[in-house]
Structure formats: structure tokens, C-alpha cells
């Protein structure tokens, strides 16, 4: 019933048999016993792994030498698989509804008719767990699912993510879903095991995007992140008004701040910024003015938010937004200055 977390390894490892109690809400899993705990290492965000069992058929106990088994009252094929994986075995096998065997070799020429392995598992009556002196044998396969994206990308330029699956002849083809984190680009692809594919993507806004992949019919999923930056300031050379933009720390528009609750307008703000030698002026909250030499790093407002505050010095104008600093940006003096695209790295 308890889940514990920590940052250090344990000093002493106990026998796995001390942890062979069923999870309270899933008897297909071990969850430790009493004062003994199963310890797992947290996986990295862009790789997930699991063990799966590939059914190899029904075999006779007499086909194997020096076999031993462990009795598990809530036995399922999944539970036996976990136990044998903890013993670094190559195969798991169930028999007589409650017996779990671990094997390291298999002769496929000794496979029996399937009807001889018809005993139901004690822990799951929909599964067969061998028969009288008969084994339902599974090959233990370690599957790994990878997602690796380029950490840095640039607006309007192509970037990519690589998806890869490694396993040992479990499935020929896997189905995968990918969410590129922009609320628009969702893809479904098919990928053969032990192969990788490169997915290309272009973002038209800056920001940090969370990429998510899911491997269908498994619990495996991964996340990675792409930080999209800009290379240029996109300037409208014809019009003074550049648009409504969102700003946050580190603020672009905080070099000069002028507040006038009685007579603020966009033209007054432009004049102030031009006098201070800045290329761009911005108004917000209806009565605040700020200046800078760049803008637009954090895109336009989202979710129906926009620049909608009336200028307190001119009711026919809009002076930016209110909360979260939505700026209406203008060229400070477009009639006297020339503006070129400034390049960033």
C-alpha cells in the first residue's frame, strides 16, 4: 500500500523472495512484503523500458534437467515473468496453476500439443499456467523505447526528434503516437523493432515545447523538450504599429518605464522612446510606456487574451493589455530611422 522515494542506494540487498507479496490493487505485480521493499531506479525522461513475455508453447517438465520451482498462490504468467527476470533467467514457465519455473534454454523440437497446458492460473483465470507436469513457457524480452529531440531549435527552421525501439523479436511492427507540444501537431506512426525513425518539425513561435510519445498497447511513454528561439526580430518596415506581444522575465521592455495616468497615448510613448534613443516603444495597462531595442521574444498573447486597454490620454487608441504585460509595440520614430533585421544567436 505504500510508495517510498529516495535519492540514495540501499546498503544491503535482501533476497527477492522476501518481496514476493502481491500489490494491493494489482496482483500481476510484486510490491514488497512487510519491512522489505522493492527498489526501482527512476528512468530518464526520454527512455522507458519494460519486460514482456513471448509465448513459446507447452513443454514437458521431463524435457529439462535439475528443475526447481517456487510456489506463488496468486500466480499469473506476468508474475512468474517478473520473478525469473529478477534471477536473470532467459525463460519463465508456469505449471499446475501455482508453480513458477525459471529456465535458461529451450529445445523447440520438444514442444507439445497446446491442450496439455490447460490449467488456469490461480491469479488470473483467463490465463493458462501449464498442466500436470507440463509447462507454459515464455521467453523474457527486455524492451526499450527511446525519444531524443534536438534541445535547441529556431523559429521557422526545421528541427527533429528520433524515435527508437529495441527488443528481441517480440513484435514485427509497433504503433506510436507523437505529440509535438504545440496543440496542433499530433502524429501516429508505425515502426519496426530494432529500428529508428527521424521525425521533422518546424515551429512558428518561440517557447519551450514538451514532446510526448506513447507506445500503443504498452505502458511505455517518453517525454523530451525543445527550446525554440528566434534568430531575427521580425519588423514591419512599412507600418509603425508592430503588433500586440506578451513579455515576461527577462523582460525586453523594461529598460525605460514611464507612467502617466492622466495623459498616456502611443504617440507620447513613441516620442519618449525616440528621445532616449530606443528603436521601439510599447504601451500597456492603459497608462504605462516602456522602451527597448528588441521585442516579440515571447510571441503574441494566447487564449483570447489581447491588447484591449484604452489609452488614458486618448480614448480612441489602445495602450496594450493589463495583466501578464501585453504590449502594443511601435517603431519609436519610423520617419527618421531605418530598421533592419537584427540577428540573434
Amino acid at each position: 500500500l505504500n510508495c517510498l522515494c529516495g535519492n540514495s542506494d540501499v546498503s544491503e540487498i535482501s533476497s527477492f523472495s522476501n518481496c514476493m507479496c502481491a500489490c494491493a490493487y494489482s496482483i500481476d505485480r510484486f510490491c514488497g512484503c512487510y519491512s522489505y521493499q522493492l527498489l526501482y531506479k527512476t528512468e530518464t525522461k526520454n527512455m522507458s523500458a519494460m519486460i514482456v513475455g513471448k509465448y513459446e508453447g507447452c513443454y514437458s517438465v521431463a524435457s529439462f534437467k535439475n528443475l526447481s520451482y517456487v510456489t506463488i498462490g496468486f500466480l499469473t504468467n506476468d508474475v512468474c515473468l517478473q520473478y525469473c527476470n529478477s534471477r536473470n533467467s532467459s525463460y519463465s514457465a508456469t505449471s499446475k496453476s501455482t508453480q513458477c519455473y525459471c529456465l535458461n534454454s529451450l529445445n523447440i523440437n520438444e514442444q507439445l500439443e497446446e491442450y496439455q497446458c490447460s490449467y488456469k492460473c490461480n491469479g488470473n483465470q483467463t490465463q493458462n499456467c501449464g498442466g500436470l507436469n507440463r509447462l507454459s513457457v515464455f521467453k523474457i524480452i527486455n524492451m526499450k523505447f527511446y525519444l531524443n529531440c534536438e534541445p535547441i531549435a529556431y523559429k521557422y527552421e526545421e528541427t527533429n526528434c528520433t524515435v527508437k525501439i529495441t527488443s528481441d523479436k517480440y513484435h514485427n511492427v509497433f504503433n506510436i503516437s507523437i505529440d509535438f507540444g504545440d496543440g496542433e501537431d499530433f502524429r501516429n506512426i508505425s515502426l519496426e523493432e530494432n529500428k529508428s525513425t527521424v521525425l521533422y518539425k518546424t515551429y512558428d513561435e518561440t517557447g519551450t515545447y514538451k514532446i510526448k510519445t506513447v507506445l500503443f498497447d504498452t505502458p511505455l511513454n517518453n517525454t523530451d523538450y525543445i527550446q525554440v528561439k528566434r534568430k531575427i526580430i521580425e519588423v514591419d518596415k512599412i507600418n509603425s504599429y508592430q503588433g500586440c506581444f506578451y513579455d515576461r522575465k527577462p523582460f525586453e521592455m523594461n529598460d525605460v518605464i514611464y507612467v502617466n495616468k492622466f495623459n498616456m497615448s502611443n504617440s507620447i510613448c513613441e516620442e519618449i522612446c525616440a528621445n532616449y534613443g530606443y528603436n521601439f516603444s510599447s504601451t500597456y495597462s492603459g497608462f504605462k510606456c516602456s522602451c527597448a531595442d528588441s521585442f516579440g521574444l515571447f510571441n503574441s498573447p494566447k487564449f483570447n487574451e489581447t491588447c484591449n486597454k484604452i489609452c488614458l490620454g486618448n480614448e480612441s487608441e489602445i495602450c496594450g493589455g493589463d495583466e501578464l504585460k501585453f504590449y502594443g509595440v511601435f517603431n519609436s520614430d519610423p520617419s527618421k530611422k531605418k530598421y533592419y533585421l537584427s540577428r540573434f544567436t
Side-chain angles (χ1 to χ4, degrees), residues 138-340:
F138 292 81
K139 183 177 182 180
I140 300 173
I141 296 174
N142 287 281
M143 181 187 301
K144 293 184 178 180
F145 182 38
Y146 299 88
L147 169 68
N148 290 287
C149 298
E150 293 292 333
I152 302 296
Y154 291 98
K155 189 176 178 180
Y156 303 133
E157 293 189 3
E158 193 174 69
T159 186
N160 66 79
C161 295
T162 300
V163 178
K164 182 180 179 181
I165 300 171
T166 61
S167 68
D168 185 13
K169 297 181 180 179
Y170 178 61
H171 278 310
N172 289 327
V173 179
F174 295 89
N175 294 315
I176 302 167
S177 69
I178 304 100
D179 177 359
F180 280 93
D182 58 358
E184 299 177 352
D185 195 347
F186 305 91
R187 306 182 197 178
N188 293 320
I189 64 169
S190 297
L191 182 63
E192 295 182 19
E193 63 183 0
N194 298 316
K195 290 189 177 181
S196 62
T197 187
V198 179
L199 304 171
Y200 295 95
K201 171 67 177 175
T202 301
Y203 291 95
D204 58 8
E205 290 192 340
T206 59
T208 300
Y209 294 87
K210 182 179 181 179
I211 320 303
K212 296 184 287 186
T213 56
V214 175
L215 188 62
F216 288 146
D217 300 321
T218 78
L220 301 185
N221 62 90
N222 299 318
T223 61
D224 206 351
Y225 296 85
I226 298 177
Q227 183 181 4
V228 179
K229 300 182 177 182
R230 66 179 181 186
K231 278 192 174 181
I232 60 173
I233 303 175
E234 301 166 46
V235 180
D236 185 342
K237 298 180 181 180
I238 298 176
N239 300 301
S240 175
Y241 180 60
Q242 300 296 304
C244 181
F245 295 91
Y246 171 65
D247 203 8
R248 63 176 174 81
K249 292 182 179 181
F251 294 108
E252 290 187 287
M253 285 289 179
N254 264 16
D255 288 345
V256 172
I257 298 177
Y258 171 70
V259 178
N260 188 330
K261 292 187 176 182
F262 302 99
N263 191 29
M264 177 58 70
S265 68
N266 291 308
S267 59
I268 290 175
C269 185
E270 286 185 57
E271 184 177 351
I272 291 172
C273 292
N275 289 336
Y276 276 96
Y278 286 95
N279 285 338
F280 302 103
S281 65
S282 66
T283 53
Y284 61 101
S285 298
F287 59 90
K288 296 180 181 179
C289 168
S290 189
C291 311
D293 285 325
S294 66
F295 71 92
L297 179 61
F298 302 107
N299 307 309
S300 300
K302 302 294 184 185
F303 311 113
N304 298 321
E305 296 170 327
T306 186
C307 293
N308 56 8
K309 300 297 291 185
I310 295 174
C311 297
L312 297 187
N314 186 340
E315 294 184 355
S316 66
E317 292 183 0
I318 298 296
C319 282
D322 193 3
E323 298 180 359
L324 302 178
K325 288 199 172 182
F326 299 152
Y327 292 86
V329 179
F330 294 79
N331 276 347
S332 298
D333 193 354
S335 63
K336 295 182 181 180
K337 294 186 177 183
K338 294 182 180 180
Y339 298 91
Y340 300 95

Side-chain angles (χ1 to χ4, degrees), residues 88-124:
N88 296 317
S89 300
S90 300
Y91 299 88
S92 67
T94 54
S95 179
K96 293 183 180 179
S97 301
T98 60
Q99 296 176 355
C100 173
Y101 294 78
C102 299
L103 316 172
N104 285 311
S105 62
L106 182 67
N107 185 351
I108 60 174
N109 294 323
E110 296 179 347
Q111 186 173 351
L112 304 176
E113 294 293 332
E114 195 59 35
Y115 74 88
Q116 298 187 46
C117 287
S118 58
Y119 282 33
K120 299 302 179 182
C121 302
N122 259 21
N124 187 339

Side-chain angles (χ1 to χ4, degrees), residues 51-67:
I51 58 169
V52 293
K54 181 182 179 183
Y55 184 58
E56 296 290 343
C58 182
Y59 290 81
S60 171
V61 173
S63 299
F64 304 90
K65 296 180 179 180
N66 301 320
L67 280 186

